[in-house]
Amino acid sequence: MTKVRTRYTSPRASQLEQIARKRVLVLDGAMGTMIQEYQLEEKDYRSTRFADIEQDVKGNNELLSITQPQVIEAIHKAYFDAGADIIETNTFGSNAVSQADYRMEELVYEMNVESARIARKAADEYTGKTPDKPRFVAGALGPTPKTASLSPDVNDPGFRAISFDELMEAYYEQIRGLAEGGVDIFLVETIFDTLNCKAALYALDRYFDESGTKYPVMVSGTITDASGRTLSGQTVEAFRISTQHIDL
């Protein structure tokens, strides 16, 4: 049986696929720990734009793509200097579910656009320096702080803090912003609940259908302990089978 090759809308995505067939590509590392090295304070997170808001925002790392873009760009460049082929956008928590903790849900689309643009700028700069080693941008879709499969209340196992549809809509808004900002690939990352992952994949499929575009998609799952299972109880093999409905 001959496998039909996926036709991607972006020329960079097709280039990425061709390179991946020849060698291993290196993904960057953690964003949060790199941000910690800058020892940013509340005033740095707020900058002038959010100087007068009531709530504290220190720790909202995704906001830095708006208030301290030079920091995020410097981190992307550091990973390129270390040899990365692909960098992830600073969007681990750039979704309405996560941003609700900071009462900044209205900024989600802007956060994703700006994060993707920062990463795109760095990737294009380094590709320009060494055209034989092109760099790529992965739009990161984080797991959110809520789980669709498990109850947060041990006394009420049937309770769910969020629905599949709510997660899907949050991911869809994030995907639109990342696509506008210029990502080459989407990465559903650090997944501890398979149903959360499937909501993100469904949102991607929906976006591809409605926009008439097609991007490569990657998924990274999180194994919680020595049992080799995700937080929602699946083995790696079961997790893969649960996501085989999309071309990863």
Side-chain angles (χ1 to χ4, degrees), residues 85-103:
D85 297 291
I86 307 171
I87 54 171
E88 303 166 67
T89 54
N90 177 40
T91 52
F92 182 85
S94 291
N95 58 74
V97 181
S98 300
Q99 287 302 313
D101 292 342
Y102 299 97
R103 303 203 298 274

Side-chain angles (χ1 to χ4, degrees), residues 46-81:
R46 290 171 176 257
S47 191
T48 56
R49 177 172 171 181
F50 303 102
D52 298 327
I53 59 175
E54 295 180 1
Q55 70 270 27
D56 292 337
V57 292
K58 181 180 178 181
N60 188 1
N61 291 339
E62 293 74 24
L63 182 62
L64 296 173
S65 293
I66 297 174
T67 59
Q68 301 291 337
Q70 74 284 354
V71 170
I72 305 304
E73 184 177 354
I75 292 171
H76 287 323
K77 290 182 176 181
Y79 277 121
F80 281 142
D81 287 336

Side-chain angles (χ1 to χ4, degrees), residues 167-182:
L167 279 169
M168 189 275 293
E169 291 294 344
Y171 280 126
Y172 186 82
E173 180 183 25
Q174 186 176 12
I175 291 163
R176 287 195 309 111
L178 289 170
E180 180 177 323

Side-chain angles (χ1 to χ4, degrees), residues 150-245:
L150 303 171
S151 172
D153 184 356
V154 293
N155 296 313
D156 187 3
F159 174 74
R160 296 293 181 269
I162 196 166
S163 70
F164 181 92
D165 287 345
E166 288 172 324
L167 279 169
M168 189 275 293
E169 291 294 344
Y171 280 126
Y172 186 82
E173 180 183 25
Q174 186 176 12
I175 291 163
R176 287 195 309 111
L178 289 170
E180 180 177 323
V183 302
D184 304 309
I185 184 170
F186 283 96
L187 170 60
V188 183
E189 65 150 318
T190 323
I191 291 297
F192 55 83
D193 184 334
T194 307
L195 197 55
N196 287 40
C197 179
K198 290 172 81 70
L201 296 177
Y202 184 89
L204 283 165
D205 261 348
R206 174 186 162 192
Y207 178 78
F208 296 160
D209 286 343
E210 293 182 0
S211 66
T213 59
K214 176 67 175 177
Y215 292 76
V217 177
M218 296 193 299
V219 170
S220 74
T222 296
I223 303 304
T224 56
D225 55 34
S227 69
R229 294 175 181 268
T230 64
L231 183 64
S232 53
Q234 283 193 313
T235 62
V236 173
E237 182 181 13
F239 177 69
R240 176 65 189 101
I241 291 171
S242 296
T243 57
Q244 68 182 3
H245 56 87

Side-chain angles (χ1 to χ4, degrees), residues 5-6 8 12-22 216:
R5 295 184 62 179
T6 302
Y8 297 117
R12 286 191 301 266
S14 298
Q15 184 182 33
L16 174 64
E17 181 185 51
Q18 291 172 4
I19 296 172
R21 290 175 178 273
K22 299 177 182 177

